[in-house]
Amino acid sequence: MLNEIGWTHVLRGEYEHALARCRQAVELHRRIGDSAGEAAALDSVGYAYHHLGRYEQALTSYRRALGVYREISDRYLEADTLIHQGDTRLAQGDVATALADWRAALEILRELNHPDARVLEGRLRQHRQSPRPTSALSG
């Protein structure tokens, strides 16, 4: 329930409030041994951090969520977290790693024959076709 309250704060753009509730949810789920709940709350924490511009903290939360999702073999939510992680990489300007995360998510969604695969395919096409930023160091 704490994660759902936190997610409601996310939807309202209240990211600091979301962090407080979702972090409580992580601890509660960990304490009671609910791995799926813990991973979901970790993903929510990462999402809130992302929207606060705290990208490294977001990525840390996503990595922890991915580890749990892989342990419990929740392939769909693993893909969902990979998409969020890719979004954060893109926000950091790391297009190549964002694309790699999204491709990994797409592979899972295709294995699951999930309709979200089409949406992600479109996103990948869009970013492959957009011009790449040039480095200030390139000639």
Side-chain angles (χ1 to χ4, degrees):
M1 171 160 307
L2 287 170
N3 193 46
E4 286 79 11
I5 293 169
W7 192 252
T8 300
H9 285 297
V10 163
L11 296 175
R12 295 173 53 122
E14 301 166 348
Y15 302 113
E16 290 291 346
H17 292 294
L19 276 175
R21 294 294 175 251
C22 294
R23 279 190 248 162
Q24 288 175 326
V26 169
E27 293 309 314
L28 176 65
H29 288 296
R30 187 175 295 137
R31 202 167 44 242
I32 65 173
D34 178 2
S35 296
E38 178 185 352
L42 283 165
D43 181 74
S44 297
V45 166
Y47 198 87
Y49 276 135
H50 170 99
H51 284 85
L52 287 167
R54 294 161 66 179
Y55 301 130
E56 287 306 318
Q57 290 169 296
L59 292 171
T60 296
S61 292
Y62 291 142
R63 279 191 293 272
R64 290 175 57 200
L66 285 168
V68 176
Y69 283 136
R70 288 172 179 147
E71 283 176 20
I72 64 174
S73 300
D74 191 325
R75 299 288 284 158
Y76 173 73
L77 290 176
E78 177 185 348
D80 191 52
T81 299
L82 281 166
I83 292 167
H84 294 160
Q85 183 172 272
D87 294 345
T88 299
R89 298 278 192 202
L90 184 66
Q92 288 181 308
D94 187 352
V95 177
T97 307
L99 292 172
D101 286 338
W102 293 342
R103 281 191 293 271
L106 180 59
E107 184 178 319
I108 293 168
L109 293 173
R110 283 178 175 160
E111 287 172 18
L112 298 174
N113 198 28
H114 197 281
D116 286 354
R118 289 184 129 156
V119 175
L120 192 51
E121 286 168 350
R123 185 187 291 193
L124 280 161
R125 268 193 307 278
Q126 174 190 357
H127 284 281
R128 279 194 298 252
Q129 293 171 358
S130 51
R132 300 281 187 259
T134 56
S135 169
L137 300 176
S138 63

